Amino acid sequence: MQFSPSIFKAYDIRGVVPATVNDEMAQALGLAFGTIARGEGETSVAVGRDGRLSGPSLSAALVRGLLASGVDVIDIGTATTPMLYFATNTVCTSGIQVTGSHNPKDYNGFKMVMKGRAIYGDEIQALRRQMEQGAGTAAQPGHVRNVNLLKPYRDRILQDVKLARPLKLVVDSGNGIAGASAPGIFRALGCEVIELFSEVDGNFPNHHPDPSKPENLKDLIAAIAQNGADLGLAFDGDGDRLGIVTRGGNNIYPDRQMMLFARDVLTRVPGGTIIFDVKCTQRLAPAIREAGGVPLMYKTGHSLIKAKMKEVDSPLGGEMSGHIFFKERWFGFDDGTYAGARLLEILSRHPDPSAVLDGLPTSFSTPELNVKCAEGEPHELVKRLTARADFASPAQISTIDGVRVDWPDGFGLVRASNTTPVLVLRFEGHTQEALDRIEHDMLALLHLVKPDAAIEAAAH
């Protein structure tokens, strides 16, 4: 059997339904994943799905394949991706979430955990080869058990997080799957919750569930003002990322969120290593050091960050994309609802939560920018950029993921996306003048290796 190579991404499997992702492909994935899982000694695999319209059919096909491989299936039904991760930490150790994350509504895909680790890169390609070769079915098929994990998941958060006082918040779930669970959990924590678009609807009729895009926060900003709320929270389509908006309508980007979370975590884990990706603000590392922690910048990619956190025993990690990973008091996976609960715990100790958020160090920065490339071109361009990057002291060059150049007053980044054929660019300056200079110098370097580079806003 042949499947479109384009769907096998760096961290997951994702494509357009039914052109490249369909029931036949899902069943083949189930059979291949189950076969590999059995080879690793696993006996059961959890399966969940988000609110996309193609979810029930793809999930059923995936389960058929898993059962044919001989593993038992724990079907958790409709759930956020973090709830699937919760399943792999509490009722089993392997699982697959059927989710299109924040992609357009005609997409769907699969995020996978094998024996406690998020699989990525070479392991996804090995899965593809197993699917194409075709795996044999087991003599004894597995059994399905339906398990509703909402109550144990909710109870685990409620026993962990305690608010000093109730807060008034607006929650915009963008008609994604988080709407079925997050507002209720925040209410149970004692908050007054005004809900926007909590009804799960895979057509996403109001706006796209991607809080990293400012245009998707307009309704939330208006509702905060209208209701006199303390702050607003927004979720992506599968609930693993969180957007935060202050009373004044300011979007607190994830790298600034990390400053607040790091300060809190480091009061209980002094000297802890806090991991963040290369797209994060230059202001984050000093904030971690000031709080008594060890900052560690690493490659972008939720699976990569999770693996690095395990390696160095980190209590907290985060990415500019909005994935926040708490190991301290939690399981180390990215979870928008849990991150929101931890945020509320911190802010409930202060009389003016928005002042705390607005007071976090900030800079002048561009949004994430992209340069479209041919398939396979971005990584080649980064190699050539690395060879040409020659900036005088005091510039410091990091090549852990692309080329990041830090000056005393800002940084520039050019890296290859692992999910689409684009270069990812981000520039930051402590002043507008510094930002303009850094952007000019980095683009001059880029044009040396790609004279026709056309810069555009990132389309997630």
Side-chain angles (χ1 to χ4, degrees):
M1 248 189 265
Q2 289 300 305
F3 302 98
S4 171
S6 67
I7 67 174
F8 297 90
K9 310 289 188 186
Y11 319 117
D12 53 27
I13 294 172
R14 208 168 350 117
V16 176
V17 179
T20 56
V21 170
N22 49 48
D23 291 359
E24 181 188 35
M25 177 262 147
Q27 187 164 335
L29 171 62
L31 183 58
F33 186 95
T35 302
I36 293 171
R38 282 189 74 198
E40 293 208 16
E42 295 288 80
T43 56
S44 58
V45 175
V47 172
R49 65 178 190 275
D50 69 13
R52 285 173 185 258
L53 304 177
S54 56
S57 176
L58 289 173
S59 178
L62 176 71
V63 169
R64 285 196 298 274
L66 286 164
L67 294 175
S69 77
V71 295
D72 291 335
V73 170
I74 299 168
D75 190 342
I76 67 167
T78 51
T80 62
T81 295
M83 284 167 72
L84 184 278
Y85 294 153
F86 179 78
T88 65
N89 279 274
T90 55
V91 295
C92 58
T93 52
S94 294
I96 302 178
Q97 174 78 353
V98 181
T99 175
S101 190
H102 57 273
N103 287 94
K105 66 180 183 180
D106 55 342
Y107 278 70
N108 215 329
F110 308 87
K111 291 183 179 177
M112 296 161 287
V113 177
M114 178 78 74
K115 213 169 182 179
R117 65 186 187 275
I119 70 169
Y120 62 92
D122 292 344
E123 284 196 274
I124 289 179
Q125 292 307 318
L127 203 50
R128 172 189 165 191
R129 288 191 294 275
Q130 179 89 50
M131 287 168 68
E132 289 176 347
Q133 289 160 11
T137 57
Q140 185 72 40
H143 301 282
V144 182
R145 185 158 55 100
N146 294 302
V147 176
N148 186 337
L149 278 183
L150 178 54
K151 187 177 184 307
Y153 170 77
R154 172 187 158 128
D155 289 349
R156 177 67 175 75
I157 294 176
L158 295 179
Q159 77 185 43
D160 176 70
V161 176
K162 304 295 176 203
L163 271 57
R165 65 182 179 91
L167 294 170
K168 184 175 183 179
L169 58 141
V170 182
V171 175
D172 183 344
S173 300
N175 300 108
I177 192 65
S181 56
I185 289 171
F186 296 141
R187 272 199 193 96
L189 284 168
C191 292
E192 181 184 342
V193 180
I194 295 111
E195 297 185 44
L196 294 181
F197 319 132
S198 293
E199 184 188 348
V200 180
D201 183 346
N203 287 307
F204 307 126
N206 295 290
H207 63 73
H208 201 62
D210 183 359
S212 69
K213 295 287 187 190
E215 63 266 27
N216 296 324
L217 299 173
K218 287 177 185 165
D219 297 310
L220 181 60
I221 290 167
I224 294 166
Q226 192 182 334
N227 291 281
D230 291 306
L231 74 156
L233 302 179
F235 292 98
D236 72 339
D238 66 333
D240 59 6
R241 295 186 298 139
L242 175 71
I244 301 171
V245 175
T246 66
R247 177 176 273 173
N250 296 324
N251 181 3
I252 305 298
Y253 284 98
D255 51 357
R256 291 178 76 203
Q257 297 172 25
M258 280 291 291
M259 298 175 193
L260 194 66
F261 291 138
R263 285 175 192 164
D264 179 59
V265 166
L266 288 165
T267 62
R268 293 178 298 277
V269 190
T273 298
I274 310 296
I275 299 180
F276 53 93
D277 76 321
V278 293
K279 293 196 281 188
C280 286
T281 174
Q282 195 182 57
R283 305 279 197 183
L284 179 52
I288 292 167
R289 279 192 207 97
E290 282 164 26
V294 178
L296 178 59
M297 187 167 72
Y298 197 57
K299 301 172 187 177
T300 293
H302 67 94
S303 302
L304 305 176
I305 297 271
K306 276 184 266 205
K308 191 67 175 175
M309 284 178 69
K310 278 186 181 174
E311 182 192 319
V312 303
D313 195 23
S314 165
L316 175 70
E319 285 191 285
M320 188 62 194
S321 62
H323 295 274
I324 308 283
F325 315 85
F326 285 92
K327 185 71 177 77
E328 188 249 356
R329 292 167 42 186
W330 194 240
F331 300 95
F333 58 74
D334 35 336
D335 185 339
T337 301
Y338 182 73
R342 290 284 289 257
L343 175 82
L344 296 171
E345 180 180 74
I346 296 165
L347 295 179
S348 71
R349 302 176 199 139
H350 299 272
D352 187 346
S354 285
V356 174
L357 294 169
D358 288 329
L360 294 167
T362 189
S363 291
F364 295 83
S365 63
T366 62
E368 187 175 310
L369 304 169
N370 285 174
V371 174
K372 281 186 181 156
C373 299
E375 197 72 52
E377 186 186 13
H379 288 281
E380 190 51 46
L381 286 171
V382 165
K383 274 187 201 161
R384 289 162 58 200
L385 273 175
T386 305
R388 300 291 288 267
D390 184 22
F391 293 96
S393 180
Q396 293 183 307
I397 299 172
S398 165
T399 56
I400 192 165
D401 182 2
V403 177
R404 174 167 163 152
V405 186
D406 279 82
W407 285 271
D409 57 355
F411 81 90
L413 170 73
V414 181
R415 63 176 288 275
S417 167
N418 286 318
T419 52
T420 47
V422 298
L423 288 173
V424 175
L425 282 57
R426 188 155 189 262
F427 309 114
E428 175 183 279
H430 294 189
T431 62
Q432 185 62 50
E433 294 74 21
L435 172 61
D436 294 343
R437 186 196 81 240
I438 289 167
E439 187 167 354
H440 174 271
D441 290 355
M442 293 296 288
L443 290 179
L445 172 65
L446 176 61
H447 284 121
L448 287 177
V449 299
K450 188 171 173 64
D452 62 342
I455 317 291
E456 50 193 60
H460 284 288

